[in-house]
Amino acid sequence: MKLASRSFRGSDLALAAGAAVVAVGGALTAPEARTGLDTLGVVLLVVAGLALVVRKRFPRPVLAVAAASLLAYLVLGYPGVGPAVPVLIALYTCVHRGHGRTARAVIAAILLVGIVGDAIGSGAKPADVFQRWFLIIGWMVAASVMAEVSRQHRAYLEQVERRAEEAERTREETARRRAVEERLRIARELHDSLTHSISIIKIQAGVAVHLARKHDEPVPDALVAIQQASGEAMRELRNTLEVLRTDAPAAGDVAHGIDGLAGLAEGVRLAGLPVTVRITGSRREVPVAVDETAYRIVQEALTNAARHAGPAEVTVCVEFAADAVTIRVDDDGLGTDDFVPGVGLTGMRERVTALGGTLRAAARPTGGFTVEVRLPLSPQPAEARAAAQAAARATAQATSENGAQTTAHATSQAPAHATSQAPAHATSENGAENGAENGAENGAQGDRADGTVVRA
């Protein structure tokens, strides 16, 4: 800031010195007049020029000094019109700073006093005096017009810039308001559509457990799993609704992570699906987003295994490396390459891509299905993350199109038949909505009539 100020003062000084030199040079080279150039004449020229140093801070006083020097110089009969140069610059600055009335008053005063004084002092014909001063006044009017045009143009640009800033600010406020309204709408829809249903499931499961215990009957593990899963789902749903309504983490909301995989596996075992969890490598602190994403990937993979694998065993492997965490979920049940990615697999891919990781979901050569994810421990640059997200979207779209083509081909070539797989399990959290009905209805939900599996 100080350097800019010094440069600003230096340019003003250079302009003032240049104007003074031009004025003195013009007087020295001008034809002889009734008064020769003496010390007073040079002083008038130099004062008019050097006064321009402070023209931006004091535009009107500088214009007055320059105009007075011009009048004195010409009325006294010195050669040339050298002081007109500083007056033109002072007029331009004065009008450009918005002092148009002052400039017009000075021009009128110069015209009146100059003509009268020059006519009395020189004894020349009024017509010759008027022509001489009329040309000088013409230059001054031209300088004033140029300054006014420049000022109006600058004001127009400033107005356009203000409007653009206001429009941008309005767009941002509108976008924020619409985002808040959309979050509130989603929160209402989630509350109205899910809270009631999950509450009914939890109540019915609790009543069934209570009646079984009241009659000294064994309580099925699947029923206990449904009760626990519905309670956990209710807690997570409340936290989600609070986040949507306030745009802030819910009070008491503890994110699930890799440390919670043991509890997740235990809930799935209660539902009847054997699960083994192995964690290898050197355990270390991982970012919260990576930790929660790893948990959600395993959760969704176990849900898919329970819904689509049939009688199977699942192995969950978590491997810590120096720069990444690798999660692999394998089952030895029913697996096929002819599957269409559903909401679950799409959500997994979106979570992984947002962290700059990779995901592979495919049938195993030896039977069953595998989901393998690699999550980097260090944040990825925004550009690389955007490219990865675009690639993931393209891959998901291609996979979906290929699955649709396979479905269409199978439908046209083979007789329609219903393939019903009978998974006997429900996961502890994502499978809560299936409850005790999961085994009976899952075949219709998970498979298509042509045999193509829709993996949620």
Side-chain angles (χ1 to χ4, degrees), residues 188-438:
R188 289 193 299 269
E189 293 295 331
L190 285 175
H191 181 272
D192 295 341
S193 60
L194 293 181
T195 304
H196 174 74
S197 300
I198 296 176
S199 298
I200 294 298
I201 292 173
K202 185 175 183 299
I203 292 172
Q204 290 179 342
V207 171
V209 170
H210 173 73
L211 292 177
R213 290 173 177 171
K214 181 178 180 180
H215 294 89
D216 295 328
E217 297 176 355
V219 179
D221 292 338
L223 196 58
V224 176
I226 292 174
Q227 186 182 25
Q228 294 176 352
S230 58
E232 180 66 19
M234 284 294 296
R235 285 190 293 272
E236 291 199 12
L237 182 58
R238 281 195 297 268
N239 290 335
T240 301
L241 294 178
E242 185 174 349
V243 170
L244 286 173
R245 290 187 177 278
T246 63
D247 195 22
D253 183 17
V254 179
H256 295 286
I258 296 175
D259 292 336
L261 293 182
L264 176 63
E266 181 62 27
V268 176
R269 291 191 198 100
L270 289 176
L273 181 64
V275 178
T276 302
V277 178
R278 292 201 300 266
I279 299 179
T280 60
S282 178
R283 291 292 299 269
R284 67 191 66 197
E285 293 292 331
V286 298
V288 175
V290 174
D291 200 26
E292 184 173 3
T293 298
Y295 180 91
R296 296 302 183 186
I297 293 296
V298 175
Q299 184 184 49
E300 182 62 33
L302 291 177
T303 300
N304 285 338
R307 295 180 63 185
H308 304 292
E313 293 185 2
V314 182
T315 302
V316 179
C317 297
V318 179
E319 180 182 357
F320 285 88
D323 59 345
V325 175
T326 301
I327 302 101
R328 185 183 180 96
V329 181
D330 296 324
D331 68 69
D332 57 1
L334 303 175
T336 175
D337 287 327
D338 296 335
F339 72 93
V340 178
V343 176
L345 281 177
T346 301
M348 281 197 289
R349 189 176 300 278
E350 290 173 350
R351 283 180 178 270
V352 173
T353 303
L355 297 177
T358 58
L359 179 144
R360 184 178 69 87
R364 300 172 62 195
T366 58
F369 201 82
T370 183
V371 175
E372 185 174 1
V373 172
R374 184 180 184 277
L375 300 174
L377 296 180
S378 58
Q380 194 177 30
E383 296 81 1
R385 186 166 59 251
Q389 291 174 350
R393 286 194 296 269
T395 302
Q397 182 178 3
T399 305
S400 178
E401 291 175 355
N402 291 339
Q405 292 172 1
T406 301
T407 303
H409 178 73
T411 304
S412 62
Q413 298 295 330
H417 61 278
T419 302
S420 177
Q421 300 175 359
H425 325 295
T427 62
S428 64
E429 298 192 17
N430 286 356
E433 69 273 17
N434 295 322
E437 302 171 338
N438 191 50

Side-chain angles (χ1 to χ4, degrees), residues 39 106 110 282 310 347:
T39 303
V106 169
I110 290 175
S282 178

Side-chain angles (χ1 to χ4, degrees), residues 22-41:
V22 169
V24 174
L28 292 175
T29 58
E32 293 184 359
R34 70 176 189 272
T35 305
L37 185 62
D38 54 14
T39 303
L40 178 59

